[in-house]
Amino acid sequence: VDRTRDDQPGDDRGEDLNRPRRRRTTLADIAARAGVSVASVSFALNGAPGVSNELRERIVGLADELGFRPNRAARDLQAGTSSTIGLVLVDLSNPFYPEIASGVIAAATARGHEVLISQVGTDERGHRDAVLAQLDRGSEGMLLTSITAGDAPLLKELQRRGHPFVQVYREIDDVQADFVGIDDFGAGTEMGTHVAACGYRRVAVLGGAEDSSASRRRALGFVAGLESGGATVINRDNLWGELTRASGAERSAAILDGHPDIEAFVCGNDVIAVGVYDTCRSSGLAVPGDVGLTGFDDMSLSSAGPFQLTTMTVPRDDMGRISTDLLLDRIAGDTSPPRRVVLAHSLQVRETTSERAS
Amino acid sequence: VDRTRDDQPGDDRGEDLNRPRRRRTTLADIAARAGVSVASVSFALNGAPGVSNELRERIVGLADELGFRPNRAARDLQAGTSSTIGLVLVDLSNPFYPEIASGVIAAATARGHEVLISQVGTDERGHRDAVLAQLDRGSEGMLLTSITAGDAPLLKELQRRGHPFVQVYREIDDVQADFVGIDDFGAGTEMGTHVAACGYRRVAVLGGAEDSSASRRRALGFVAGLESGGATVINRDNLWGELTRASGAERSAAILDGHPDIEAFVCGNDVIAVGVYDTCRSSGLAVPGDVGLTGFDDMSLSSAGPFQLTTMTVPRDDMGRISTDLLLDRIAGDTSPPRRVVLAHSLQVRETTSERAS
DNA sequence: CTGAAAGCGCTTACAG
DNA sequence: CTGAAAGCGCTTACAG
């Protein structure tokens, strides 16, 4: 189907999709038509003083008529700005990020900025490359959502060079910079307390990666809540793993092997919990009858149909909006001390945990 | 907490987050240091002929040392390009779009382009505004995912002005332009045939909006497959609605009211199906025992935990990648006739449909 | 092999 | 109130 025939000039089709593009109207075009200088046109169009009302109206009319739209590249070059911010995340197809991104785009658009999204994947050098690419593109600041301890030098370099950024959801301990997220330890503690209060005694905690501040604090919160509620965490020295369905399935299977009397799984996110459910299913274990199960994040999948997972609601859209507003303030010159914005979370007790008769 | 004290110069904090940014290194800086012209530096750095190897190495070394990174705005202004494409969608928090966006970003990045995402929401004027804003930003082409018949004039205007675009998932009948999507009618027919083959006889079809080409063809396919399989569509003249959970719940409740003997619901997407499940749940109807249920799209939520929805897999990531490649080809000057790229779908028979004893 | 110059489309002091 | 000019940081013919 590759019968391209570019040499045929008279190509007959309804619309000429790719005709040579008409040159865009510029200030100079308008100036020529109006018989004035480009400076006057610029002043007129930007509402700056320096032109009579009569001239201004004539120029605005002409601009309309010619379909004038300013060239951003030229304006940016002149102003030394770009009206663009960067959002760095692992991968948009991970359902945790889209809602953050949605909030970011909405907030940025409202303040006349565009958003460039970089997907860094799980690649090692991903972050650094993405940040540098963003700077090349002229991003005036960045929202960093997936940073780990190893990224500290990168963040410090950004600070040294004067490039604003906000840490979203995760933060790095020895960097003094803005942060917007939730109280992961507190939320984790609430969850652990809830599970213990249900009467579950022998509990496994399936956390995310230890080098993610959010995952670490959350898992530590789980443990604190469970233990203070009288439950036992049977895998205290083996809490960490991936935030994936496969990891949830594998880890829970291994734990069931060693501890057939396990009573509940407390998971670092909803996706892990889905994996645990897979294992329970194939092992013939009833949830929450035989084993309790909790997630974290409250994704749409965790309350669909018969799947009614006990989880923690995280205000992802707000996180996106608020971090964007903060970043734009910094870009605009706000030099107040670094801020930590902690948003409210909310426990959703659904059907995968229940009071135990014990 | 608003004790901003910008006037205190000696502000004591670990790192000075917002110190005045150091001016970026430019070609001129390097030229001055090397004692050559900016032209030579430009040639050297771009691997263009016109400089000796010795000079080139010296300049590259200097550029490295000074941390030179080219200014995109300047390059774009000069080249008359922006290396940016636009992706227009309803809302990233609708889980249908992120995977498309992920594919788009991956494919665009691989070819050195950036992606600007516009969320148009369900607003009437959204599309037109978003497209104009994209053009202002210098987007060299656009991926349009949410167009309806009413957008025909806008698309024709884009064609007239020579701005490339690709219709993704939805297409408009009387516009001759590139399209990447699936065979919705065919996929719908397969689904209808499957449901009829299970033995479900009295069936309701809960479609999306009639003015979306994808929703329309899909629903018409459902009807065709069901009827050719011997089933009856009890709401033939009332197929359309929103693609939301609430709509699924409401419409199914209304139908159950009028037709208590309904045997299956065939839904325009997974989210509607979740709403139908809500209704079945509160009505005490077993799925698939009392009533069969199918979705469309195969979102992650439709195979989580005990929810194992029969649905249709749509290659969203591929859709994003392929439409991006096509668009970039157009931008690069490909003037071959408009293309329709139809991707493969795949029926997922899971647990919400089953053979009826009948 | 190398450099001086023009130009991309804007904005903004600076003169008239 | 208006215009001529310089400059943002690049690239690319055009001369030496």
PDB file of all heavy atoms in Angstrom, chain B residues 36-37 39-40 50-52 77-78, chain C residues 1-9:
ATOM      1  N   VAL B  36      37.124  32.524  18.065  1.00  0.00           N
ATOM      2  CA  VAL B  36      36.643  32.313  16.689  1.00  0.00           C
ATOM      3  C   VAL B  36      35.255  32.938  16.553  1.00  0.00           C
ATOM      4  O   VAL B  36      34.742  33.532  17.494  1.00  0.00           O
ATOM      5  CB  VAL B  36      36.567  30.809  16.343  1.00  0.00           C
ATOM      6  CG1 VAL B  36      37.937  30.156  16.453  1.00  0.00           C
ATOM      7  CG2 VAL B  36      35.574  30.109  17.259  1.00  0.00           C
ATOM      8  N   SER B  37      34.652  32.788  15.397  1.00  0.00           N
ATOM      9  CA  SER B  37      33.320  33.373  15.184  1.00  0.00           C
ATOM     10  C   SER B  37      32.228  32.425  15.678  1.00  0.00           C
ATOM     11  O   SER B  37      32.455  31.221  15.811  1.00  0.00           O
ATOM     12  CB  SER B  37      33.099  33.633  13.702  1.00  0.00           C
ATOM     13  OG  SER B  37      32.895  32.409  13.045  1.00  0.00           O
ATOM     14  N   ALA B  39      29.784  31.532  14.023  1.00  0.00           N
ATOM     15  CA  ALA B  39      29.491  30.616  12.919  1.00  0.00           C
ATOM     16  C   ALA B  39      30.313  29.350  13.056  1.00  0.00           C
ATOM     17  O   ALA B  39      29.789  28.233  12.964  1.00  0.00           O
ATOM     18  CB  ALA B  39      29.771  31.300  11.592  1.00  0.00           C
ATOM     19  N   SER B  40      31.597  29.511  13.317  1.00  0.00           N
ATOM     20  CA  SER B  40      32.455  28.333  13.451  1.00  0.00           C
ATOM     21  C   SER B  40      31.986  27.453  14.599  1.00  0.00           C
ATOM     22  O   SER B  40      31.977  26.226  14.502  1.00  0.00           O
ATOM     23  CB  SER B  40      33.901  28.766  13.683  1.00  0.00           C
ATOM     24  OG  SER B  40      34.360  29.490  12.573  1.00  0.00           O
ATOM     25  N   GLY B  50      33.234  22.581   7.484  1.00  0.00           N
ATOM     26  CA  GLY B  50      33.663  23.974   7.525  1.00  0.00           C
ATOM     27  C   GLY B  50      34.565  24.299   8.697  1.00  0.00           C
ATOM     28  O   GLY B  50      34.936  25.456   8.890  1.00  0.00           O
ATOM     29  N   VAL B  51      34.916  23.310   9.509  1.00  0.00           N
ATOM     30  CA  VAL B  51      35.885  23.541  10.576  1.00  0.00           C
ATOM     31  C   VAL B  51      36.874  22.375  10.610  1.00  0.00           C
ATOM     32  O   VAL B  51      36.495  21.234  10.322  1.00  0.00           O
ATOM     33  CB  VAL B  51      35.213  23.666  11.967  1.00  0.00           C
ATOM     34  CG1 VAL B  51      34.563  25.012  12.145  1.00  0.00           C
ATOM     35  CG2 VAL B  51      34.207  22.556  12.164  1.00  0.00           C
ATOM     36  N   SER B  52      38.083  22.661  10.936  1.00  0.00           N
ATOM     37  CA  SER B  52      39.082  21.594  11.038  1.00  0.00           C
ATOM     38  C   SER B  52      38.749  20.714  12.239  1.00  0.00           C
ATOM     39  O   SER B  52      38.081  21.141  13.175  1.00  0.00           O
ATOM     40  CB  SER B  52      40.469  22.206  11.212  1.00  0.00           C
ATOM     41  OG  SER B  52      40.524  22.920  12.435  1.00  0.00           O
ATOM     42  N   LEU B  77      13.058  29.620  16.109  1.00  0.00           N
ATOM     43  CA  LEU B  77      12.755  30.862  15.405  1.00  0.00           C
ATOM     44  C   LEU B  77      13.465  30.876  14.060  1.00  0.00           C
ATOM     45  O   LEU B  77      12.888  31.206  13.026  1.00  0.00           O
ATOM     46  CB  LEU B  77      13.213  32.055  16.243  1.00  0.00           C
ATOM     47  CG  LEU B  77      13.085  33.420  15.564  1.00  0.00           C
ATOM     48  CD1 LEU B  77      11.635  33.666  15.151  1.00  0.00           C
ATOM     49  CD2 LEU B  77      13.556  34.517  16.490  1.00  0.00           C
ATOM     50  N   GLN B  78      14.715  30.509  14.089  1.00  0.00           N
ATOM     51  CA  GLN B  78      15.518  30.492  12.878  1.00  0.00           C
ATOM     52  C   GLN B  78      14.992  29.470  11.874  1.00  0.00           C
ATOM     53  O   GLN B  78      14.821  29.749  10.697  1.00  0.00           O
ATOM     54  CB  GLN B  78      16.969  30.166  13.260  1.00  0.00           C
ATOM     55  CG  GLN B  78      17.848  29.793  12.109  1.00  0.00           C
ATOM     56  CD  GLN B  78      17.924  30.904  11.094  1.00  0.00           C
ATOM     57  OE1 GLN B  78      17.997  32.075  11.445  1.00  0.00           O
ATOM     58  NE2 GLN B  78      17.886  30.533   9.814  1.00  0.00           N
TER      59      GLN B  78
ATOM     60  P    DC C   1      39.192  21.071   5.696  1.00  0.00           P
ATOM     61  OP1  DC C   1      39.723  20.208   6.713  1.00  0.00           O
ATOM     62  OP2  DC C   1      37.780  21.084   5.353  1.00  0.00           O
ATOM     63  O5'  DC C   1      39.623  22.565   6.015  1.00  0.00           O
ATOM     64  C5'  DC C   1      40.654  22.828   6.969  1.00  0.00           C
ATOM     65  C4'  DC C   1      40.684  24.310   7.208  1.00  0.00           C
ATOM     66  O4'  DC C   1      40.230  24.980   6.011  1.00  0.00           O
ATOM     67  C3'  DC C   1      39.763  24.786   8.335  1.00  0.00           C
ATOM     68  O3'  DC C   1      40.507  25.652   9.188  1.00  0.00           O
ATOM     69  C2'  DC C   1      38.644  25.548   7.619  1.00  0.00           C
ATOM     70  C1'  DC C   1      39.360  26.042   6.371  1.00  0.00           C
ATOM     71  N1   DC C   1      38.446  26.290   5.203  1.00  0.00           N
ATOM     72  C2   DC C   1      38.212  27.606   4.802  1.00  0.00           C
ATOM     73  O2   DC C   1      38.764  28.541   5.412  1.00  0.00           O
ATOM     74  N3   DC C   1      37.388  27.841   3.746  1.00  0.00           N
ATOM     75  C4   DC C   1      36.822  26.811   3.115  1.00  0.00           C
ATOM     76  N4   DC C   1      36.014  27.092   2.076  1.00  0.00           N
ATOM     77  C5   DC C   1      37.051  25.453   3.505  1.00  0.00           C
ATOM     78  C6   DC C   1      37.866  25.237   4.549  1.00  0.00           C
ATOM     79  P    DT C   2      39.934  26.045  10.633  1.00  0.00           P
ATOM     80  OP1  DT C   2      41.093  26.330  11.517  1.00  0.00           O
ATOM     81  OP2  DT C   2      38.933  25.068  11.023  1.00  0.00           O
ATOM     82  O5'  DT C   2      39.261  27.431  10.334  1.00  0.00           O
ATOM     83  C5'  DT C   2      40.094  28.587  10.234  1.00  0.00           C
ATOM     84  C4'  DT C   2      39.267  29.768   9.777  1.00  0.00           C
ATOM     85  O4'  DT C   2      38.532  29.428   8.587  1.00  0.00           O
ATOM     86  C3'  DT C   2      38.213  30.251  10.773  1.00  0.00           C
ATOM     87  O3'  DT C   2      38.675  31.460  11.346  1.00  0.00           O
ATOM     88  C2'  DT C   2      36.946  30.445   9.950  1.00  0.00           C
ATOM     89  C1'  DT C   2      37.447  30.327   8.519  1.00  0.00           C
ATOM     90  N1   DT C   2      36.473  29.789   7.550  1.00  0.00           N
ATOM     91  C2   DT C   2      35.898  30.663   6.663  1.00  0.00           C
ATOM     92  O2   DT C   2      36.129  31.852   6.646  1.00  0.00           O
ATOM     93  N3   DT C   2      35.010  30.080   5.792  1.00  0.00           N
ATOM     94  C4   DT C   2      34.672  28.740   5.718  1.00  0.00           C
ATOM     95  O4   DT C   2      33.872  28.339   4.895  1.00  0.00           O
ATOM     96  C5   DT C   2      35.320  27.884   6.675  1.00  0.00           C
ATOM     97  C7   DT C   2      35.026  26.424   6.690  1.00  0.00           C
ATOM     98  C6   DT C   2      36.184  28.430   7.551  1.00  0.00           C
ATOM     99  P    DG C   3      37.792  32.116  12.535  1.00  0.00           P
ATOM    100  OP1  DG C   3      38.745  32.719  13.493  1.00  0.00           O
ATOM    101  OP2  DG C   3      36.769  31.151  13.003  1.00  0.00           O
ATOM    102  O5'  DG C   3      37.078  33.301  11.744  1.00  0.00           O
ATOM    103  C5'  DG C   3      37.875  34.188  10.976  1.00  0.00           C
ATOM    104  C4'  DG C   3      36.980  35.191  10.271  1.00  0.00           C
ATOM    105  O4'  DG C   3      36.211  34.495   9.264  1.00  0.00           O
ATOM    106  C3'  DG C   3      35.975  35.872  11.194  1.00  0.00           C
ATOM    107  O3'  DG C   3      35.880  37.239  10.821  1.00  0.00           O
ATOM    108  C2'  DG C   3      34.668  35.142  10.907  1.00  0.00           C
ATOM    109  C1'  DG C   3      34.822  34.781   9.437  1.00  0.00           C
ATOM    110  N9   DG C   3      34.095  33.587   9.029  1.00  0.00           N
ATOM    111  C8   DG C   3      34.123  32.356   9.644  1.00  0.00           C
ATOM    112  N7   DG C   3      33.390  31.460   9.030  1.00  0.00           N
ATOM    113  C5   DG C   3      32.843  32.154   7.944  1.00  0.00           C
ATOM    114  C6   DG C   3      31.968  31.700   6.924  1.00  0.00           C
ATOM    115  O6   DG C   3      31.493  30.585   6.770  1.00  0.00           O
ATOM    116  N1   DG C   3      31.667  32.724   6.028  1.00  0.00           N
ATOM    117  C2   DG C   3      32.162  34.001   6.104  1.00  0.00           C
ATOM    118  N2   DG C   3      31.750  34.832   5.153  1.00  0.00           N
ATOM    119  N3   DG C   3      32.977  34.436   7.050  1.00  0.00           N
ATOM    120  C4   DG C   3      33.277  33.453   7.932  1.00  0.00           C
ATOM    121  P    DA C   4      35.184  38.298  11.786  1.00  0.00           P
ATOM    122  OP1  DA C   4      36.240  39.141  12.372  1.00  0.00           O
ATOM    123  OP2  DA C   4      34.239  37.586  12.646  1.00  0.00           O
ATOM    124  O5'  DA C   4      34.369  39.155  10.720  1.00  0.00           O
ATOM    125  C5'  DA C   4      34.698  39.077   9.335  1.00  0.00           C
ATOM    126  C4'  DA C   4      33.594  39.718   8.515  1.00  0.00           C
ATOM    127  O4'  DA C   4      32.730  38.661   8.019  1.00  0.00           O
ATOM    128  C3'  DA C   4      32.674  40.650   9.270  1.00  0.00           C
ATOM    129  O3'  DA C   4      32.093  41.535   8.331  1.00  0.00           O
ATOM    130  C2'  DA C   4      31.639  39.699   9.854  1.00  0.00           C
ATOM    131  C1'  DA C   4      31.470  38.725   8.698  1.00  0.00           C
ATOM    132  N9   DA C   4      31.146  37.357   9.094  1.00  0.00           N
ATOM    133  C8   DA C   4      31.534  36.665  10.221  1.00  0.00           C
ATOM    134  N7   DA C   4      31.084  35.436  10.274  1.00  0.00           N
ATOM    135  C5   DA C   4      30.364  35.308   9.096  1.00  0.00           C
ATOM    136  C6   DA C   4      29.642  34.244   8.545  1.00  0.00           C
ATOM    137  N6   DA C   4      29.531  33.052   9.134  1.00  0.00           N
ATOM    138  N1   DA C   4      29.034  34.452   7.356  1.00  0.00           N
ATOM    139  C2   DA C   4      29.163  35.650   6.764  1.00  0.00           C
ATOM    140  N3   DA C   4      29.823  36.731   7.171  1.00  0.00           N
ATOM    141  C4   DA C   4      30.397  36.484   8.360  1.00  0.00           C
ATOM    142  P    DA C   5      30.884  42.524   8.810  1.00  0.00           P
ATOM    143  OP1  DA C   5      31.037  43.725   7.954  1.00  0.00           O
ATOM    144  OP2  DA C   5      30.848  42.649  10.284  1.00  0.00           O
ATOM    145  O5'  DA C   5      29.599  41.722   8.320  1.00  0.00           O
ATOM    146  C5'  DA C   5      29.557  41.204   6.987  1.00  0.00           C
ATOM    147  C4'  DA C   5      28.135  40.825   6.631  1.00  0.00           C
ATOM    148  O4'  DA C   5      27.881  39.453   7.053  1.00  0.00           O
ATOM    149  C3'  DA C   5      27.074  41.682   7.320  1.00  0.00           C
ATOM    150  O3'  DA C   5      25.987  41.827   6.433  1.00  0.00           O
ATOM    151  C2'  DA C   5      26.674  40.850   8.521  1.00  0.00           C
ATOM    152  C1'  DA C   5      26.747  39.444   7.924  1.00  0.00           C
ATOM    153  N9   DA C   5      26.959  38.377   8.890  1.00  0.00           N
ATOM    154  C8   DA C   5      27.586  38.441  10.123  1.00  0.00           C
ATOM    155  N7   DA C   5      27.624  37.301  10.762  1.00  0.00           N
ATOM    156  C5   DA C   5      26.976  36.422   9.901  1.00  0.00           C
ATOM    157  C6   DA C   5      26.683  35.052   9.995  1.00  0.00           C
ATOM    158  N6   DA C   5      27.022  34.303  11.038  1.00  0.00           N
ATOM    159  N1   DA C   5      26.024  34.483   8.952  1.00  0.00           N
ATOM    160  C2   DA C   5      25.689  35.242   7.902  1.00  0.00           C
ATOM    161  N3   DA C   5      25.916  36.547   7.696  1.00  0.00           N
ATOM    162  C4   DA C   5      26.566  37.065   8.742  1.00  0.00           C
ATOM    163  P    DA C   6      24.817  42.863   6.732  1.00  0.00           P
ATOM    164  OP1  DA C   6      25.006  43.984   5.787  1.00  0.00           O
ATOM    165  OP2  DA C   6      24.743  43.113   8.183  1.00  0.00           O
ATOM    166  O5'  DA C   6      23.533  42.032   6.279  1.00  0.00           O
ATOM    167  C5'  DA C   6      23.678  41.028   5.271  1.00  0.00           C
ATOM    168  C4'  DA C   6      22.582  39.993   5.451  1.00  0.00           C
ATOM    169  O4'  DA C   6      22.998  39.016   6.442  1.00  0.00           O
ATOM    170  C3'  DA C   6      21.264  40.587   5.951  1.00  0.00           C
ATOM    171  O3'  DA C   6      20.209  39.972   5.243  1.00  0.00           O
ATOM    172  C2'  DA C   6      21.247  40.218   7.424  1.00  0.00           C
ATOM    173  C1'  DA C   6      21.958  38.868   7.398  1.00  0.00           C
ATOM    174  N9   DA C   6      22.579  38.461   8.649  1.00  0.00           N
ATOM    175  C8   DA C   6      23.215  39.234   9.584  1.00  0.00           C
ATOM    176  N7   DA C   6      23.679  38.560  10.609  1.00  0.00           N
ATOM    177  C5   DA C   6      23.322  37.256  10.337  1.00  0.00           C
ATOM    178  C6   DA C   6      23.524  36.051  11.035  1.00  0.00           C
ATOM    179  N6   DA C   6      24.162  35.975  12.207  1.00  0.00           N
ATOM    180  N1   DA C   6      23.046  34.917  10.487  1.00  0.00           N
ATOM    181  C2   DA C   6      22.400  34.993   9.302  1.00  0.00           C
ATOM    182  N3   DA C   6      22.151  36.071   8.538  1.00  0.00           N
ATOM    183  C4   DA C   6      22.644  37.175   9.120  1.00  0.00           C
ATOM    184  P    DG C   7      18.725  40.610   5.298  1.00  0.00           P
ATOM    185  OP1  DG C   7      18.206  40.638   3.913  1.00  0.00           O
ATOM    186  OP2  DG C   7      18.753  41.828   6.129  1.00  0.00           O
ATOM    187  O5'  DG C   7      17.957  39.477   6.096  1.00  0.00           O
ATOM    188  C5'  DG C   7      18.136  38.113   5.731  1.00  0.00           C
ATOM    189  C4'  DG C   7      17.542  37.252   6.823  1.00  0.00           C
ATOM    190  O4'  DG C   7      18.522  37.099   7.881  1.00  0.00           O
ATOM    191  C3'  DG C   7      16.298  37.886   7.464  1.00  0.00           C
ATOM    192  O3'  DG C   7      15.267  36.925   7.510  1.00  0.00           O
ATOM    193  C2'  DG C   7      16.756  38.260   8.860  1.00  0.00           C
ATOM    194  C1'  DG C   7      17.838  37.226   9.110  1.00  0.00           C
ATOM    195  N9   DG C   7      18.811  37.592  10.124  1.00  0.00           N
ATOM    196  C8   DG C   7      19.349  38.835  10.377  1.00  0.00           C
ATOM    197  N7   DG C   7      20.191  38.828  11.382  1.00  0.00           N
ATOM    198  C5   DG C   7      20.206  37.499  11.818  1.00  0.00           C
ATOM    199  C6   DG C   7      20.925  36.889  12.867  1.00  0.00           C
ATOM    200  O6   DG C   7      21.710  37.400  13.662  1.00  0.00           O
ATOM    201  N1   DG C   7      20.633  35.521  12.955  1.00  0.00           N
ATOM    202  C2   DG C   7      19.779  34.850  12.131  1.00  0.00           C
ATOM    203  N2   DG C   7      19.631  33.553  12.364  1.00  0.00           N
ATOM    204  N3   DG C   7      19.098  35.405  11.138  1.00  0.00           N
ATOM    205  C4   DG C   7      19.362  36.734  11.044  1.00  0.00           C
ATOM    206  P    DC C   8      13.746  37.427   7.604  1.00  0.00           P
ATOM    207  OP1  DC C   8      13.152  37.338   6.261  1.00  0.00           O
ATOM    208  OP2  DC C   8      13.686  38.686   8.360  1.00  0.00           O
ATOM    209  O5'  DC C   8      13.093  36.309   8.512  1.00  0.00           O
ATOM    210  C5'  DC C   8      13.361  34.916   8.354  1.00  0.00           C
ATOM    211  C4'  DC C   8      13.138  34.241   9.680  1.00  0.00           C
ATOM    212  O4'  DC C   8      14.361  34.301  10.439  1.00  0.00           O
ATOM    213  C3'  DC C   8      12.097  34.957  10.536  1.00  0.00           C
ATOM    214  O3'  DC C   8      10.823  34.366  10.300  1.00  0.00           O
ATOM    215  C2'  DC C   8      12.565  34.695  11.965  1.00  0.00           C
ATOM    216  C1'  DC C   8      14.067  34.354  11.816  1.00  0.00           C
ATOM    217  N1   DC C   8      15.018  35.323  12.417  1.00  0.00           N
ATOM    218  C2   DC C   8      15.993  34.873  13.303  1.00  0.00           C
ATOM    219  O2   DC C   8      16.039  33.669  13.586  1.00  0.00           O
ATOM    220  N3   DC C   8      16.860  35.771  13.835  1.00  0.00           N
ATOM    221  C4   DC C   8      16.781  37.063  13.498  1.00  0.00           C
ATOM    222  N4   DC C   8      17.671  37.895  14.043  1.00  0.00           N
ATOM    223  C5   DC C   8      15.789  37.532  12.589  1.00  0.00           C
ATOM    224  C6   DC C   8      14.933  36.643  12.082  1.00  0.00           C
ATOM    225  P    DG C   9       9.565  35.290   9.880  1.00  0.00           P
ATOM    226  OP1  DG C   9       8.496  34.380   9.417  1.00  0.00           O
ATOM    227  OP2  DG C   9      10.021  36.395   9.015  1.00  0.00           O
ATOM    228  O5'  DG C   9       9.112  35.929  11.258  1.00  0.00           O
ATOM    229  C5'  DG C   9       8.640  35.061  12.270  1.00  0.00           C
ATOM    230  C4'  DG C   9       8.522  35.831  13.555  1.00  0.00           C
ATOM    231  O4'  DG C   9       9.836  36.299  13.947  1.00  0.00           O
ATOM    232  C3'  DG C   9       7.643  37.081  13.469  1.00  0.00           C
ATOM    233  O3'  DG C   9       6.753  37.025  14.559  1.00  0.00           O
ATOM    234  C2'  DG C   9       8.626  38.239  13.585  1.00  0.00           C
ATOM    235  C1'  DG C   9       9.719  37.613  14.433  1.00  0.00           C
ATOM    236  N9   DG C   9      11.030  38.230  14.306  1.00  0.00           N
ATOM    237  C8   DG C   9      11.585  38.798  13.172  1.00  0.00           C
ATOM    238  N7   DG C   9      12.785  39.261  13.365  1.00  0.00           N
ATOM    239  C5   DG C   9      13.057  38.991  14.708  1.00  0.00           C
ATOM    240  C6   DG C   9      14.205  39.273  15.484  1.00  0.00           C
ATOM    241  O6   DG C   9      15.254  39.828  15.134  1.00  0.00           O
ATOM    242  N1   DG C   9      14.058  38.823  16.797  1.00  0.00           N
ATOM    243  C2   DG C   9      12.944  38.200  17.287  1.00  0.00           C
ATOM    244  N2   DG C   9      12.976  37.837  18.567  1.00  0.00           N
ATOM    245  N3   DG C   9      11.860  37.934  16.574  1.00  0.00           N
ATOM    246  C4   DG C   9      11.983  38.361  15.305  1.00  0.00           C
TER     247       DG C   9
END
